[in-house]
Structures are given as structure tokens and as C-alpha cells.
Amino acid sequence: MPPSVSYERMATQRSPKAADPAPASQDPGVVAVRGILTRLSKRSGLSSDRLRGTEIDIAALLDLPIVRENVLRTMRSREEVVQDVIENAARLLQPTDRLIVDAELSLGLLRGNTEAGIDPALLYAAELGDRRAYLTRNWRQLHEAFGADAIPPAPSSVRTLRGEPERRAFSALAHLLTTATAFGAGPVVRRAHAERGVRGRVTVLGDAVVDHNYVVDRVPVPGSSTWCDLERSPGGKGLNRAVAVAKLGLGAQLIAAVGDDAEGRELLSHLRLRGVDTSLVTTVAAARTPVTAVILPHGELPMNMAYRDDRLRLHANDLDERSRHVALSTADAVLLTFEQPVEVIVRALEIIDARASPCWVVVNASPPLRDSISPRKLYRHLRSVDYMIGTSAELEQLASAHSSAIGTAAERLLGLGVDTVCAIDGFQVTVSSRSGETVVGSVATAMAGTSGAYAAFSAALTFRLVTRGQPARDPDFRWAARAMVATQSVGTVSDALPSAAEIDALMNVDMPRNRE
């Protein structure tokens, strides 16, 4: 994690208010999962063995997105994954709800807490009635074991406990499970990350689209035509950065939206197979997954034409949904693009600024904000940004509304609170900070405008920040710049994104410099 002494903003950072538990929901998915959990609490409670042999219809539980995601990561059975997922979700509940589901499902969250005088044999007894009775009798003691600050009055009887308290607790748990992300760094995620060598967690906010790549020798002038090669592939700045992060060995989760169509399902499958957590990707019914036409002229920068359905735009309050809020509040780094509406970017920065602990914040000023949107909406939140990345034109557009026209775009953004600005033009990277300006990359390639190059740079820089735990220095920027070179292909962009070993290998290869 970044050292707090490097961030002046941490001096005024406030602790986030604890979220209230989810109310009882009438959502059919929540109701179905709550019913399964309630029935599983009977007799000896929850266990993977019981899940394998139960006569209860648990299909809705086994088919939860978070269960499927963790089965894919860990290659364990769904019954084993469910056990860990439920335990980890329970840890996020408010103390009273956590205590009720822990005892009644016999999860064992307090099993090792012998100092509090708790008797695990009674709290996790073989019969539900005994567990309820012990919970009711030892209400205050058990709350204190969970560190509760405010303890509600104890139920007057087991019958009272079986009413609203249990309904509320199991509704809150079911709500978490049906809308779940990876619950921070819980047991399932930690185990999967350890197996894959994952060294940190990154939340990416952006888009997932289908790219139609048109590779041409030249862009035809009006009235003329030209031959092209067409490649259809998954794309989007958010998707590419999430895949790049995962390929470098970090835990990646993407916040985005796709349509409920064949293309949307293709994108989700593509992300999952490359190790990206898709539980925060919304699937919108009756909406068409976005398509971007990417024109790739030989030796020139790409030209993009994007179509998207406005129903796929996220809204600021979407980030206040529990799982997304947790993802932004607990990640080691957050990587943002300007693909989502400016109000969503602002809300993400507000959540980050309210964190109890710091994280690295890397923002890509791409695509440029729409002409009708003033960059001023972002200015008061830029103090939360550690690294702002973009082309010189993108950075100039972002800084254009600065009250002073004096200085470069980088200087104006630094004045607004950004810690470091990285301008990428072709394959030359110019890094500006309050200590000065440095050019750290300028290599010649035959494909100066390959899509994915900037995603590779952003992910590689994020990797160095997360794994080194300190602000980037010249070697880190040079390493990230070399990541761009590895993307030189016209196939699926995300498949060309480099691993850490591939970037290391490129560091040992002399690259010809661009001609002046």
C-alpha cells in the first residue's frame, strides 16, 4: 500500500460511515436464496458435505455469479466454494446480523475466540434450537466478541429471535450473495490469488465493447476506396486494462455494463477466461452491447468510432450498491477511464477519497469528455488522483477549463492536485511532477498506433505501484513504457497484452530510437 506520508490528502481524509445492512428485499433472487439459507440452518447447519447430500433445492445458491466465478478461479467444487463464499459474506454484515447467521448456519466465525468465554460446543451445537437458545442467553457477550459498538436489546425469547431478527439477518446475507463481488480479500479470493501468484487487487471502471478493427494501408479520401483486413475482438478501455492487470498477476475486477445478447455473453466469457472478476459487470436486458469501429492505418494513430446504447451507461448511485462500493473501498489500486459519464467518475473519486486507508488512483483521460461536458466538474476531485495518463491532446482538453491559461496542460493539472501526469504521444512518455519533467520512453515501432498500448502502460504502472508499495520512479516508468512495445499486433488486443516476464525480457532488448 502507498505510504501515507506521500499523500497530503490523507491528513484530511475521513473514515467512511459503515453501511446499513440490506433491508429485507422482495427481489425474487434474494427471496430464493434467503429461503435456501433458512432451510439449511436447520439441524446441524451449513457444510459442504450437507450441500452435496441435501434434498433441498439449492440450485439458486449454487448458480450465484460469485460462486461460478470462484469455481472458475479455484477449480474446486461448487459445494466447497459456497461454504467459503457464505462465510466471507457473513463477515461483511453488521454485528447483529453476522452473529445470527454465524450461529444458525454454524459457520464457526467465533470458534477460535476462547478468551471471550464463549462455548463453541453450545454456540455451534448439533441442533438449531440449542444454537438459538445459547445465542439468546448470551446476546451481549457474543456481540462484544464481534466488537460491536452498539448492542441492541436481546430478544425476549427464542420465538422473538425467530421473527424479524432472523428474517433481517438472512435477507442481508442473501442480498450480499446475489449482488456480490469478491468481498474484498476473502478466503476464496485469497486462496485463488495465492494459487495464481496474485500480489494485489485492482478495481477498473470503464467499458467492455466489441471492437471491429479495420487494418488499412491508408485512410481513403472522400470518393475513393481501399482494401482492409477486418478483425472482430473484445475491446474497450476498461476491458483491456482489466485483462492487462490480470495478466500481470494482480487480482482484477471490472465495473462496466454489457447487453443481454450474444456479444455481451462473449465479453463476459472472455474476461472470465483471462482471470478478471466479472461480478460487477451489469447485464442490461434488451440493450445491445456496444461496438467500436477501430481504423488502423499503417504507421499512424488509430481512429475510433463508437456506438453505444445509453441504457448501458452506469449512474452515480450504481457505485453505492454494496458490492461496487466495497470494490472501490478495499482495492489496492483503482484504475479509471473516462468511458463512463462524468458523474460516475466523480462519485468513484468521492468514494475513494472517503476511504479509511489509501490506495493508488490511476486515471486515464480517455476518451476525451464530450464537448457538452465541462471538465470543471472533475477539478475539485483531482486531488485524489495519483497518476493522470493521456495523450497531449487528451490532457489539454481536460485542463482546458482551468482558470489560468498559463503553463502546459500538465502544469495546470498538477496545480489542481494531480500528483503525477504522464503524457503519451506515440511511444514517447513524458512524466511531469512537482519536481520537474522527464522523458522516459521513445522507441520506434512499425505500428505507432496499436490499440492496447496505453492500456498496457497503465496496467504495468499500476502493477509496479501495487507490488513495490511506493511512488513510481524512472525505472518504473521505463518498464511501463516497454509494456507498450509488446502490444504490436493486429489480433485480439487483450491477447497481445504482456506478462511481467515479457516486459522484463523487453527491458534487455535495445530498441531503435524514433528519428527526430
Side-chain angles (χ1 to χ4, degrees), residues 8 22 115 129 166 240 409 437 447 453 471 476 478:
E8 294 180 357
E115 296 179 359
E166 285 188 8
N240 286 335
E437 181 179 285
M447 301 173 64
D476 302 308
R478 287 196 295 271

Side-chain angles (χ1 to χ4, degrees), residues 441-471:
S442 181
V443 296
T445 71
M447 301 173 64
T450 304
S451 297
Y454 299 169
F457 177 88
S458 300
L461 177 61
T462 302
F463 174 83
R464 298 285 278 215
L465 295 170
V466 170
T467 57
R468 292 171 60 84
Q470 60 185 16

Side-chain angles (χ1 to χ4, degrees), residues 174-198:
H175 177 78
L176 265 184
L177 291 170
T178 54
T179 60
T181 179
F183 300 130
V188 172
V189 175
R190 284 199 299 268
R191 183 181 298 111
H193 285 181
E195 292 170 356
R196 292 172 48 219
V198 170

Side-chain angles (χ1 to χ4, degrees), residues 119-133:
D119 188 340
L122 296 177
L123 179 60
Y124 306 119
E127 294 297 330
L128 175 59
D130 294 335
R131 298 196 295 273
R132 282 170 168 159

